[in-house]
Amino acid sequence: MPLLENGHPVEDTWRYAVESEALGAGDIIVPFDRLSEGLGRTEGRLGVVLPNSESVSTLKEALPKLALVVVTFPIFRDGRAFSQARALREHLHFTGKIRASGHILPDQYEFLLRCGVDSVEVSGNTDMAPWEQALRRFTIATQPSPVLDEKPTGFGLRRFLATP
């Protein structure tokens, strides 16, 4: 499955753990229910899939040992993964990578980045052009993103939109 970073496809060096198989060596992403098993590994980096029904605070103790957290979108209308990504960055100060997975639309791409997501899994036959366009579509935002270290500009958007 291709991985999208900054609007461009990149090679995915992580692999997902297979159910009922040993985790093995290398960089691996484990399901949430196998996190304690993954934390016991000594080789390779560890990532975890955080179900959208779980609170990010359940990862608080494990975050220093995690290099990647995967937030999931079972359907595009379910926005809990946006909140999880933002909470990981703002409240838990997670500095590792955050990946979005599941049913994600190109229109959601910019919002994911503004919430602290670094990469997005897209299906293999996806046209990348809409994703790249979504990244450049808007140059201003109505709400500053603390994740992107933006500062509030007051009525800047109204002035920008009123300018002919």
Side-chain angles (χ1 to χ4, degrees):
M1 182 171 289
L3 192 61
L4 192 65
E5 279 188 12
N6 295 322
H8 303 289
V10 295
E11 181 181 351
D12 188 2
T13 60
W14 292 80
R15 66 178 176 83
Y16 281 93
V18 177
E19 188 176 328
S20 72
E21 288 187 12
L23 297 180
D27 299 341
I28 192 162
I29 302 169
V30 297
F32 185 73
D33 59 348
R34 292 181 74 182
L35 178 59
S36 60
E37 179 184 352
L39 290 171
R41 295 175 61 231
T42 56
E43 296 179 12
R45 297 181 298 171
L46 179 64
V48 65
V49 177
L50 181 65
N52 64 359
S53 59
E54 288 290 332
S55 170
V56 294
S57 62
T58 58
L59 294 177
K60 189 173 184 177
E61 299 298 322
L63 281 179
K65 297 178 182 177
L66 294 175
L68 174 74
V69 175
V70 179
V71 293
T72 57
F73 289 81
I75 58 174
F76 77 92
R77 298 178 308 211
D78 191 335
R80 290 178 283 181
F82 286 105
S83 301
Q84 288 176 322
R86 194 153 180 167
L88 282 167
R89 294 287 189 221
E90 288 184 44
H91 303 298
L92 298 178
H93 309 289
F94 180 61
T95 57
K97 298 285 186 181
I98 299 177
R99 177 186 296 190
S101 176
H103 192 206
I104 304 166
L105 302 175
D107 291 345
Q108 297 171 314
Y109 188 41
E110 183 189 358
F111 301 112
L112 287 168
L113 298 177
R114 297 185 63 76
C115 289
V117 171
D118 299 295
S119 58
V120 175
E121 291 178 356
V122 294
S123 63
N125 56 359
T126 299
D127 179 12
M128 295 296 176
W131 293 90
E132 294 173 11
Q133 291 169 356
L135 190 61
R136 295 186 304 263
R137 184 172 301 141
F138 300 104
T139 57
I140 57 172
T142 55
Q143 295 179 345
S145 171
V147 173
L148 300 176
D149 199 27
E150 295 175 336
K151 305 293 181 221
T153 58
F155 295 104
L157 179 61
R158 287 185 182 171
R159 284 193 299 263
F160 175 79
L161 294 175
T163 306

